[in-house]
């Protein structure tokens, strides 16, 4: 089984890309297993997914063994029950690739068939960076330095010139890297990345010096993440359009409140759905619009899941903002949302 970690900053499009690749691979007769950090759209137990994400403690050089043991467990289970062709893992967005791969190699040796270190970049965010003459964001830059493959995503909103400029920035950080361009949303150039995942191997990378690791940790330490699950019920069914509207309001309102509190958004995700279908509203750092995806057509009762990642605000403040927003939504849409 090929094991491919698709890394990249919050909102770069990892979940979208993995699910597009999985669809394509399955169509071609391959079997795929996905472990992601997506709480609304997950085909695995959310608690388990949460455990699998590298959290702050693990990053601070503490114990990564739990993570690796769980990965080992899954791999054994999969190998015993049915053999899969590819396992995709979406690690937590601020993971440090060289540290993870170093630990994976130590733990698994030759037992694991690792695809090259693949880092997805949010083309839209980098276009902003270039236009505003800002520095390449630190966490993304660190990941690019560690990468074997860099994938520039969201080319559907980029011009040829934008792509060339982003490529230059990437090569300035890492001359040896292979660059691919995709639109995960439109499935453009998906075959090229699938080809890399299936046919290329991780060649190895040096683990960073402790000094660099400390510098990296500093930039990660300001990030707060809060994921909460609520139950919701309404008097009458909501159709797709009404559900989209509610998601838009929830995301926009959380966004405004966090910005007013001096915070900076990395990614806001909101889901409304049940076991069969869902809609997801998403607002990554590069855009103010709320992008809605998913297959839900009608709902009266189900789950509302919020996942907010922001910098410069504590996570209990994020939680307070979630509750306030939901009480406003309760009033305007006559729905009951409970923890
Ligand atoms: N325009 C455009 N938008 C995209 C593309 N790929 C993903 N998106 C959008 O970007 C947003 C974030 O996508 P996700 O797949 O949730 O990103 P992620 O990297 O998994 O985010 P986290 O799990 O929070 O780290 C969503 O609104 C997607 O619809 C793309 O190729 N083009
Ligand atoms: Mg994701």
């Amino acid at each position: 089984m090929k094991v491919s970690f698709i890394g990249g900053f919050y909102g770069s499009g990892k979940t979208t890309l993995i699910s597009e690749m999985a669809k394509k691979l399955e169509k071609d007769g391959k079997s795929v297993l996905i472990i992601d950090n997506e709480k609304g759209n997950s085909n695995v137990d959310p608690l388990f997914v949460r455990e699998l994400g590298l959290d702050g403690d693990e990053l601070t050089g503490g114990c990564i063994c739990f993570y690796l043991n769980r990965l080992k467990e899954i791999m054994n289970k999969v190998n015993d029950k049915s053999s899969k062709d590819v396992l995709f893992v979406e690690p937590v967005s601020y993971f440090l690739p060289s540290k993870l791969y170093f630990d994976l190699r130590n733990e698994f040796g030759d037992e694991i068939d690792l695809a090259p270190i693949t880092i997805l970049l949010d083309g839209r965010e980098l276009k902003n960076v270039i236009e505003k003459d800002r520095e390449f964001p630190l966490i993304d830059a660190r990941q690019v330095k560690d990468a074997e493959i860099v994938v520039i995503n969201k080319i559907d909103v980029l011009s040829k010139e934008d792509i060339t400029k982003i490529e230059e920035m990437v090569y300035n950080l890492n001359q040896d890297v292979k660059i691919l361009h995709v639109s995960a949303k439109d499935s453009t150039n998906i075959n090229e990345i699938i080809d890399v995942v299936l046919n290329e191997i991780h060649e190895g990378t040096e683990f960073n010096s402790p000094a660099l690791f400390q510098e990296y940790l500093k930039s990660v330490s300001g990030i707060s993440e809060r994921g909460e699950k609520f139950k919701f019920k309404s008097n009458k069914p909501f159709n797709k359009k009404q559900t989209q509207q509610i998601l838009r309001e929830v995301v926009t309102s959380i966004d405004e409140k966090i910005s007013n509190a001096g915070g900076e958004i990395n990614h806001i995700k909101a889901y409304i759905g049940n076991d069969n279908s869902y809609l997801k509203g998403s607002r990554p750092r590069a855009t103010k619009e709320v992008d809605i995806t998913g297959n839900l057509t009608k709902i009266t009762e189900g789950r509302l899941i919020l996942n907010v990642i922001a910098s410069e605000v504590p996570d209990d403040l994020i939680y307070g903002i979630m509750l306030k927003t939901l009480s406003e939504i309760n009033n305007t849409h006559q729905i009951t949302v409970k923890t």
Side-chain angles (χ1 to χ4, degrees), residues 11 13-16 90 93 154 156 184 267 269 280 282 291:
K14 300 177 292 296
T15 303
T16 314
E90 178 178 338
S93 303
K154 311 196 183 179
D156 53 300
H267 200 182
K269 292 177 274 187
K280 166 183 171 184
S282 168
D291 191 14

